[in-house]
Amino acid sequence: MGKLLVTKNESHTPPKGHTQMKAQIAAKYIQFLSNKKANKNSGFTLIELLVVIIIIGILSAIALPSFLNQAAKARASEARTNVGAVNRSQQAYYLENQAFVASVTADNGAPAALGLGVNNTPNYSYSSVLDSTTGVFNYGTPGTGKTDLKAYVGGVLRTANTTTISNLCETLASTTAAAAPPVLNPTANANAGSVTCVAASTKPLN
């Protein structure tokens, strides 16, 4: 019978090719890290810069019209606020004096009897025009060259029992002309009547 030989402390030596493969992988990894570190200090390529410029141009083309529209709305809020304030002040003045005020600003050489301190600005000029029998129209008209702004007009109607009704109208489109005055509709009923915006060119805000 053959004998089984057992050798203690037998060492295992890896094949030579396996060692070379590990060395190649380590060398590749070191080279990768070196390249990565070098890339951190490098600038953008021309293609990358062109892509960034194109993206910025597209975003600007989308955002600019919206920004300009919001800027025009912010400037128009001046007229909405002022004409609305004049409407309310005309109503309060009529309650005390049974008359309306034809002058609303301190810029036109006449005393501002309403005491509002509403002055003409580069964006809007303000004025009031008395209706012969029933009320007053209060205008907020865009300044010269302000073609992106809308015009505003308020109307205050005197009813049969000396109370008042008002409305505020905004033009449908941007304009440098005064808005068409609303129609004052008095009635024989003491508390009735209406102030109607001209539908063809304006819309009510009240």
Side-chain angles (χ1 to χ4, degrees):
M1 293 178 65
K3 295 181 179 181
L4 177 63
L5 299 178
V6 178
T7 304
K8 294 182 179 180
N9 299 326
E10 181 178 1
S11 63
H12 176 69
T13 303
K16 184 177 181 181
H18 185 68
T19 303
Q20 290 177 345
M21 184 178 296
K22 283 188 175 182
Q24 289 176 356
I25 293 174
K28 292 287 186 181
Y29 184 68
I30 293 173
Q31 184 180 4
F32 169 76
L33 292 178
S34 299
N35 291 337
K36 187 175 182 181
K37 184 177 181 180
N39 287 337
K40 289 182 179 179
N41 299 322
S42 63
F44 293 105
T45 66
L46 180 59
I47 298 298
E48 290 171 333
L49 289 175
L50 288 175
V51 170
V52 171
I53 292 172
I54 291 172
I55 292 174
I56 293 174
I58 293 172
L59 293 176
S60 299
I62 295 172
L64 185 59
S66 177
F67 171 77
L68 294 176
N69 187 43
Q70 292 302 319
K73 287 182 178 180
R75 286 182 286 137
S77 66
E78 167 203 318
R80 285 196 300 272
T81 300
N82 285 342
V83 175
V86 173
N87 269 3
R88 292 185 291 273
S89 294
Q90 291 278 20
Q91 290 180 280
Y93 187 88
Y94 189 88
L95 184 63
E96 293 184 5
N97 301 281
Q98 286 72 55
F100 294 108
V101 178
S103 170
V104 297
T105 76
D107 298 273
N108 56 12
L114 293 178
L116 284 176
V118 173
N119 294 317
N120 296 334
T121 69
N123 294 321
Y124 284 92
S125 60
Y126 301 96
S127 62
S128 290
V129 177
L130 294 175
D131 181 76
S132 59
T133 57
T134 56
V136 62
F137 302 115
N138 307 302
Y139 292 91
T141 305
T144 303
K146 303 298 182 179
T147 56
D148 59 336
L149 298 179
K150 294 182 178 181
Y152 296 85
V153 61
V156 180
L157 168 68
R158 172 182 57 82
T159 63
N161 68 345
T162 70
T163 60
T164 55
I165 298 172
S166 69
N167 201 354
L168 177 61
C169 307
E170 176 189 69
T171 56
L172 300 179
S174 302
T175 180
T176 56
V183 179
L184 304 180
N185 302 305
T187 67
N189 189 315
N191 296 310
S194 64
V195 180
T196 307
C197 298
V198 179
S201 60
T202 61
K203 64 180 180 180
L205 297 181
N206 284 357

